[in-house]
């Protein structure tokens, strides 16, 4: 390469960097203008800008909580409780939809006509129903189809009615553990643990919806493995279950993991729709906080930051798993 060619390449690189610097600078100036304009408009309306409200009492209740909570706690603690509820819901849905999706994927690949037909109808139907409609449908079934507490169904210490699912629980009383059994009170069932209708509807609706997509991802990963691998496993005397577990799945995971990363991120994002059935996840806490304090910009910023961090963490963990299998392949 002669001197003139090197100078041309260097000048082109400098020009590219200058263009990128101008674009980044323009974006930063636009963001600064938007921030200043927003702050000025809020001040004109008498709305204080800042996060000082996080230290004030929340003064609203949260029915289902993973962490202990009372209305006397601060808004900051309420956000943390909502975040834990979101992570709890997302984790249950991710695990359940993956396991169920694996079963549905095997059904889609099955040579049994009934199993294949049921799995295909399930996937094609659920994937074409909006997730919000599915959530509301499941919630309506729980509220209107289950019996009231007076006629609640009982199975050896378990109650099922339109106010939740009750069962015995272990609790620490005095110096030891004791069983707490649910029993009929004056107006409702007391004692034990409870899965509220809101949590049950959120888990069931999101799991059904996510299972359909996870099933197609898993089925596509299995089908991506060369059919000769099945024949080679059978030639070694392995049963089909052993071939699937020892030969096919380790290779299919390299195809499954990247799209499943996106699917898990979507599950976390879809958890915000649990607000529509009354489950108190972080979107519920944010909406209630904005209504009480008027700090719409700050509340929305917290919500966006939380979901950005969760999505990046999920992608980072799944990428570690993906790199592990890529290294095994090479």
């Amino acid at each position: 390469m002669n001197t003139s060619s090197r100078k041309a390449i260097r000048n082109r690189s400098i020009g590219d960097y200058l263009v990128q610097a101008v674009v980044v600078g323009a974006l930063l100036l636009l963001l600064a203008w938007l921030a200043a304009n927003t702050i000025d408009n809020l001040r004109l309306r008498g709305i204080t800008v800042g996060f000082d409200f996080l230290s004030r009492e929340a003064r609203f209740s949260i029915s289902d909580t993973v962490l202990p909570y009372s209305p006397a706690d601060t808004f900051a603690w309420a956000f943390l409780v909502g975040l834990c509820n979101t992570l709890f819901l997302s984790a249950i849905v991710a695990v359940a939809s993956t396991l169920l999706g694996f079963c549905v994927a095997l059904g889609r690949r099955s040579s049994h006509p009934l199993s294949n037909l049921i799995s295909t109808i399930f996937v094609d139907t659920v994937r074409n129903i909006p997730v919000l409609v599915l959530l509301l449908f499941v919630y309506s079934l729980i509220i209107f189809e289950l019996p009231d507490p007076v006629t609640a169904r009982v199975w050896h210490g378990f109650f099922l009615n339109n106010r939740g699912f009750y069962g015995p629980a272990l609790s620490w009383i005095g110096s030891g553990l004791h069983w707490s059994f649910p029993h009929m009170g004056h107006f409702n069932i007391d004692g034990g643990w409870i899965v509220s209708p809101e949590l049950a509807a959120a888990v069931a609706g999101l799991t059904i919806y996510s299972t359909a997509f996870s099933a197609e991802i898993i089925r596509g990963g299995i089908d991506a493995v060369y059919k000769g691998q099945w024949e080679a496993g059978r030639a070694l005397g392995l049963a089909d279950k052993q071939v699937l577990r020892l030969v096919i799945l380790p290779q299919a995971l390299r195809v499954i993991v990247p799209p499943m990363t996106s699917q898990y991120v979507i599950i976390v994002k879809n958890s915000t729709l649990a607000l529509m059935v009354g489950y108190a996840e972080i979107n519920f806490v944010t909406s209630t906080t904005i209504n009480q304090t008027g700090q719409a910009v700050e509340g929305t910023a917290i919500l966006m930051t939380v979901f950005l961090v969760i999505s990046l963490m999920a992608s980072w963990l799944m990428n570690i798993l993906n790199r592990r299998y890529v290294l095994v392949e090479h």
Side-chain angles (χ1 to χ4, degrees):
M1 183 180 295
N2 54 34
T3 306
S4 59
S5 299
R6 292 176 180 174
K7 288 182 179 179
I9 294 174
R10 185 169 59 252
N11 292 334
R12 186 166 48 203
S13 300
I14 294 174
D16 292 341
Y17 285 125
L18 288 175
V19 171
Q20 294 177 24
V22 170
V23 172
V24 172
L27 289 175
L28 291 176
L29 289 175
L30 177 62
L31 291 175
W33 177 81
L34 289 173
N37 190 49
T38 301
I39 292 173
D40 291 339
N41 288 333
L42 291 174
R43 285 176 177 171
L44 289 175
R45 290 167 173 78
I47 300 176
T48 305
V49 181
F51 294 91
D52 295 338
F53 71 95
L54 292 175
S55 60
R56 302 204 303 262
E57 286 188 8
R59 296 181 181 177
F60 63 87
S61 60
I62 299 178
S63 56
D64 294 297
T65 60
V66 177
L67 299 177
Y69 172 82
S70 72
D73 292 325
T74 62
F75 282 108
W77 184 254
F79 273 105
L80 182 60
V81 170
L83 172 60
C84 290
N85 283 359
T86 295
L87 294 176
F88 177 68
L89 174 62
S90 301
I92 294 176
V93 173
V95 173
S97 63
T98 301
L99 296 176
L100 293 175
F102 179 73
C103 297
V104 174
L106 294 182
R108 288 267 283 163
R109 299 187 72 260
S110 174
S111 58
H112 193 283
L114 182 60
S115 175
N116 186 283
L117 178 63
I118 293 175
S119 301
T120 301
I121 292 175
F122 171 80
V123 170
D124 291 342
T125 301
V126 173
R127 291 180 70 187
N128 289 284
I129 297 177
V131 59
L132 181 57
V133 174
L134 189 58
L135 278 171
L136 294 176
F137 174 73
V138 173
Y139 185 67
S140 65
L141 287 179
I142 294 174
I143 294 299
F144 297 111
E145 297 300 326
L146 291 180
D148 56 37
V150 177
T151 59
R153 301 174 186 175
V154 184
W155 294 285
H156 304 290
F158 293 89
F159 287 77
L160 178 63
N161 56 58
N162 56 13
R163 295 188 183 180
F165 178 62
Y166 300 79
L170 274 174
S171 59
W172 187 272
I173 301 177
S175 59
L177 291 171
H178 297 272
W179 282 101
S180 172
F181 290 91
H183 58 277
M184 184 63 68
H186 292 289
F187 303 102
N188 200 359
I189 297 173
D190 301 323
W193 52 263
I194 176 176
V195 177
S196 68
E198 293 77 18
L199 177 58
V203 170
L206 292 176
T207 299
I208 293 172
Y209 185 78
S210 302
T211 295
F213 290 88
S214 298
E216 284 298 275
I217 293 172
I218 296 171
R219 182 188 65 83
I222 294 175
D223 287 344
V225 179
Y226 180 56
K227 293 182 179 179
Q229 298 293 315
W230 288 93
E231 298 171 358
R234 295 187 185 109
L236 293 174
L238 299 177
D240 284 348
K241 292 181 180 179
Q242 293 175 309
V243 176
L244 178 65
R245 180 171 59 89
L246 300 175
V247 179
I248 303 301
L249 282 182
Q251 299 179 67
L253 282 176
R254 289 189 285 269
V255 181
I256 293 172
V257 168
M260 283 300 290
T261 302
S262 299
Q263 179 60 26
Y264 290 149
V265 172
I266 291 172
I267 288 173
V268 175
K269 294 177 181 178
N270 284 344
S271 67
T272 57
L273 297 175
L275 166 69
M276 302 305 297
V277 295
Y279 181 68
E281 38 72 56
I282 192 168
N283 191 29
F284 171 90
V285 174
T286 302
S287 301
T288 307
T289 300
I290 291 174
N291 290 335
Q292 290 198 5
T293 63
Q295 309 290 152
V297 175
E298 294 85 347
T300 305
I302 293 174
L303 185 64
M304 292 172 59
T305 302
V306 165
F307 278 101
L308 176 62
V309 172
I310 293 175
S311 299
L312 291 177
M313 288 295 295
S315 299
W316 176 68
L317 292 174
M318 294 299 290
N319 284 334
I320 291 176
L321 181 62
N322 187 39
R323 284 195 298 269
R324 175 185 174 186
Y325 282 101
V326 169
L327 289 175
V328 170
E329 180 183 12
H330 293 290

